Amino acid sequence: MAEPQGDLETSVRDYLTSLAHAMRHRGLGDKLAVGFIEGLLNGKLGPESLAHLIDPSIDALDARLRAHQARGEMIAVNPRHAAIFLLSPVVLACHHQDQMSGRTQRPLDLDAFIDDLTRAFVRAYGRRPEPVAAAAAGGRRRPALSRRA
């Protein structure tokens, strides 16, 4: 799951969709909930929850984002920070809908949520291609035209 398939937007969307599916249909949401409940105030269970539940997801996404940085598709930021930034809203949204019964109180279209989050992430962290004129000029930008008074 760490190796990206496709461009940054496709890769992020696919990762988040897979994470949401695992949380909602494969028991990961319940395991994370128990890990949070038992691990937050327990000095022994907290590190175990991190090591076996939370950090593997962060590490897999960190590796995926590093690959996008190596391809030049993502700006130079700490990919671990970017991974936590990206995972946290999906984990919260899934817990809101499932473990906290939000689906009956305040239903959320999780697919639309993931699409919005993906687009926002790509706008914030994606590397924008150089304008055609700048690329044709060897990467140099043309000087701005001054306005006449």
Side-chain angles (χ1 to χ4, degrees), residues 71-146:
R71 290 183 188 176
E73 298 172 340
M74 195 173 139
I75 62 174
V77 296
N78 184 319
R80 184 167 187 266
H81 296 175
I84 293 170
F85 174 86
L86 194 53
L87 290 172
S88 298
V90 175
V91 170
L92 179 62
C94 288
H95 282 313
H96 177 279
Q97 290 298 283
D98 297 331
Q99 285 74 27
M100 300 179 81
S101 300
R103 70 182 163 278
T104 60
Q105 304 298 313
R106 301 226 24 204
L108 175 68
D109 180 342
L110 200 56
D111 292 326
F113 178 79
I114 287 172
D115 285 343
D116 288 345
L117 179 61
T118 297
R119 284 192 297 273
F121 183 85
V122 170
R123 279 193 307 273
Y125 290 97
R127 186 176 302 269
R128 290 161 187 75
E130 287 189 44
V132 176
R140 295 185 312 272
R141 296 186 187 267
R142 295 159 81 198
L145 299 174
S146 61

Side-chain angles (χ1 to χ4, degrees), residues 12 23 39 42 49-50 54-55 72-73 79 91 93-94 103 105 109 149:
V12 166
M23 287 191 67
N42 186 304
S49 294
L50 281 178
I54 297 168
D55 283 342
E73 298 172 340
V91 170
C94 288
R103 70 182 163 278
Q105 304 298 313
D109 180 342

